[in-house]
Amino acid sequence: MAELPGSPGPVDLRVGARIRARRERVGLSVETLAGRLGCPPALLLDYETGRTRAGATTLMLLTRVLGVDVGYFLAGLMDDPPSAVEVERLARDNRIP
């Protein structure tokens, strides 16, 4: 089944998983981290599931709150980069990460 435009891509899913992993590792609840970011808990959960793409500003806030550099959220992406077909599809849908 084809992915719907606006649905999470592989990069969004990977970044979201890294946000969740770090939040859990430092022992923060969704509510606590959302409060420190100044966003609703539901939005943080959307970031963690890749449902909503975390933008550059959000990632920078996360680096400060979670004590990592921005590269932490992108770790592993080059080990399993999107295929050329995936990149072409994302470009066609105007969703280049």
Side-chain angles (χ1 to χ4, degrees):
M1 174 179 242
E3 188 177 307
L4 298 173
S7 61
V11 172
D12 303 312
L13 295 170
R14 183 84 53 96
V15 169
R18 299 288 288 174
I19 293 169
R20 174 174 283 160
R22 184 64 182 174
R23 176 183 59 76
E24 291 175 347
R25 182 168 182 168
V26 299
L28 295 176
S29 69
V30 169
E31 293 76 14
T32 300
L33 180 54
R36 291 184 184 176
L37 294 174
C39 72
L43 180 56
L44 177 58
L45 288 172
D46 285 349
Y47 293 147
E48 290 186 351
T49 60
R51 181 184 221 173
T52 298
R53 181 172 294 144
T57 301
T58 300
L59 290 176
M60 291 307 297
L61 288 170
L62 284 163
T63 64
R64 292 182 186 140
V65 174
L66 297 176
V68 294
D69 67 40
V70 74
Y72 170 85
F73 300 111
L74 306 174
L77 286 173
M78 294 312 294
D79 297 336
D80 186 22
S83 68
V85 171
E86 177 71 5
V87 170
E88 180 63 31
R89 185 188 58 72
L90 290 170
R92 184 180 61 245
D93 294 344
N94 293 316
R95 293 183 48 234
I96 291 292

